[in-house]
Amino acid sequence: MTYLTKPKLHHPALPKNKLGFTHRDYEGTVSTLCAGCGHDSISGAIIQAFFELDIEPHRVAKLSGIGCSSKTPTYFLGNSHGFNSVHGRMPSVLTGANLANRKLIYLGVSGDGDSASIGLGQFAHSMRRGVNMVYIVENNGVYGLTKGQFSATADKGSKAKRGAINNDEPIDMVMLALQLGATLVARSFSGDKTQLVPLIKAAVSHRGAAFIDVVSPCVAFNDHPGSTKSYDFVREHNEAVNRLDFMPQHTEITAEYASGSVRDVVQHDGSVLRLRKLHDDYDAGDRIGAMNYLQQRRAAGEVVTGLLYLNSEAGDMHASLNTVDTPLNELREKELIPGVAALEKFNASLR
Ligand SMILES: Cc1ncc(C[n+]2csc(CCOP(=O)(O)OP(=O)(O)O)c2C)c(N)n1
Ligand code: SF4
Ligand SMILES: [Mg+2]
């Protein structure tokens, strides 16, 4: 498949967004992943979300580690900035880029091996620092690229394609993100674009560390009976706690819903997230409650999906470090070398 190039011509009547761009302007090269891989559906959802958000591709920086999942940024947002880093090291590269230029929209794409095994420490620190980013883990429970070894998110007792049983406890990335202080936490399924696209839009409009765990079946190594990351298992055990409508800034809110089942949340950019409750006992504003609920439902064998936690008042790493608004590469000599008097004043403040 690698020899296939995408045709440059496209139908003139393709729908355009407010910027005059079509879906094609948000795509990348032809995917070389296995046909049916969940990761390709996530790429499709990312393309749709950025198209519908009317974001100029050059405002986005996409970063990844190593794995089939980490290859996917080649297949979307071909006109954005991109950096394919080392296995498990995407979070620190993203953090550095974000510190240097806060004007870009940061999208970290990773796998369960990349983030829960070799990169677990990196993942943890990017969450607790509140790096302003969308962090997506394409979670298939295996190392797809290296031929299907169990990853750290594989459920205890789940079966590999050749029959081996996983005896280790799984790492739940959502529980970790909640515990570590991520301020938007969600779980979704690659086969549910209706849920995933608004979640990505909400995460892009959120200020702070936004984490989305997307169960994304690996059709080559982990889509058989006995796997808890297969299409069939997730479809049968998927419990969505809410549905999200995303309304960009300046959109007239017309639909009416019964009060109690709906909560409107205004994000810092003025966009509105309308959260429709599907489970009355679930409150996405209660972090500890969310952790208890997730544990209970997991014990009952359910895969809980939806917007699981949101703190729309949250700050981010730049707020806590009190950094300058201007990206570092735009600072001029006057700001970088403020002179002896300014240096004296600063030194005095430290004495
Ligand atoms: C430092 C280092 N160790 C090991 C590897 C081998 N390796 C490449 S991808 C990978 C696991 C990828 O798994 P995951 O992140 O879940 O991505 P998937 O392929 O499942 O999407 C491993 C162990 C590597 N490339 N670099
Ligand atoms: S090996 Fe698995 S994760 Fe990798 S492309 Fe194929 S189906 Fe997707
Ligand atoms: Mg994986």
Side-chain angles (χ1 to χ4, degrees):
M1 292 284 282
T2 45
Y3 54 85
L4 280 183
T5 50
K6 255 186 192 170
K8 291 215 164 56
L9 286 174
H10 56 76
H11 197 280
L14 276 182
K16 292 185 172 147
N17 64 11
K18 285 201 185 113
L19 302 170
F21 292 140
T22 67
H23 258 236
R24 294 297 303 273
D25 298 307
Y26 294 84
E27 291 176 3
T29 62
V30 175
S31 170
T32 59
L33 302 188
C34 308
C37 175
H39 300 350
D40 278 335
S41 307
I42 302 173
S43 297
I46 292 171
I47 290 166
Q48 190 177 330
F50 281 86
F51 168 80
E52 290 178 4
L53 284 170
D54 303 309
I55 289 175
E56 292 142 314
H58 73 265
R59 290 180 51 216
V60 183
K62 41 178 190 162
L63 294 98
S64 61
I66 299 290
C68 298
S69 35
S70 291
K71 282 170 71 178
T72 64
T74 308
Y75 314 136
F76 58 78
L77 296 172
N79 296 312
S80 300
H81 307 274
F83 195 97
N84 188 205
S85 74
V86 185
H87 198 21
R89 270 56 172 185
M90 174 273 284
S92 55
V93 179
L94 189 154
T95 304
N98 189 310
L99 277 166
N101 185 352
R102 62 192 293 173
K103 273 195 185 164
L104 296 175
I105 296 164
Y106 288 92
L107 174 60
V109 177
S110 183
D112 41 314
D114 200 56
S115 282
S117 297
I118 192 168
L120 188 61
Q122 297 245 331
F123 164 80
H125 292 292
S126 68
M127 292 295 138
R128 62 181 272 278
R129 284 185 177 133
V131 181
N132 188 16
M133 63 181 169
V134 181
Y135 193 123
I136 295 179
V137 167
E138 306 191 345
N139 189 351
N140 52 20
V142 289
Y143 301 164
L145 190 74
T146 52
K147 307 253 178 280
Q149 303 85 349
F150 285 123
S151 82
T153 66
D155 284 310
K156 190 170 183 175
S158 67
K159 207 186 252 186
K161 200 174 171 185
R162 290 177 193 270
I165 303 288
N166 177 44
N167 293 317
D168 298 332
E169 285 294 336
I171 290 175
D172 184 336
M173 300 297 283
V174 157
M175 289 296 287
L176 271 188
L178 285 167
Q179 203 267 321
L180 290 163
T183 44
L184 183 152
V185 180
R187 181 182 281 129
S188 193
F189 172 44
S190 62
D192 187 355
K193 234 181 178 180
T194 316
Q195 183 190 56
L196 182 54
V197 172
L199 283 177
I200 296 172
K201 288 178 173 179
V204 171
S205 73
H206 181 72
R207 180 173 49 197
F211 175 70
I212 312 179
D213 178 41
V214 189
V215 184
S216 174
C218 168
V219 289
F221 300 110
N222 206 14
D223 193 33
H224 47 267
S227 160
T228 56
K229 299 278 192 287
S230 64
Y231 281 109
D232 284 348
F233 184 91
V234 183
R235 281 195 189 112
E236 278 160 27
H237 299 83
N238 188 348
E239 272 303 320
V241 286
N242 47 38
R243 282 272 168 202
L244 192 67
D245 295 325
F246 180 86
M247 289 157 276
Q249 206 184 356
H250 306 312
T251 310
E252 196 189 351
I253 300 170
T254 49
E256 292 292 331
Y257 298 96
S259 61
S261 61
V262 164
R263 187 179 145 214
D264 282 349
V265 187
V266 182
Q267 292 279 84
H268 81 280
D269 64 354
S271 58
V272 176
L273 312 182
R274 172 159 282 172
L275 257 186
R276 308 176 205 206
K277 267 193 175 196
L278 299 180
H279 285 221
D280 278 343
D281 52 345
Y282 195 80
D283 175 7
D286 174 2
R287 192 167 69 98
I288 305 297
M291 291 168 90
N292 285 334
Y293 186 91
L294 286 166
Q295 289 288 51
Q296 283 162 14
R297 299 327 304 160
R298 198 169 85 84
E302 288 174 6
V303 182
V304 175
T305 60
L307 182 62
L308 304 172
Y309 176 65
L310 175 67
N311 173 1
S312 57
E313 311 287 310
D316 73 339
M317 177 180 63
H318 285 284
S320 52
L321 291 178
N322 195 19
T323 56
V324 63
D325 285 343
T326 315
L328 301 189
N329 65 353
E330 287 176 26
L331 290 175
R332 280 166 305 186
E333 204 173 308
K334 190 161 68 73
E335 288 117 1
L336 292 170
I337 311 173
V340 178
L343 183 65
E344 290 292 336
K345 197 174 157 200
F346 178 71
N347 283 341
S349 76
L350 299 175
R351 281 184 195 119

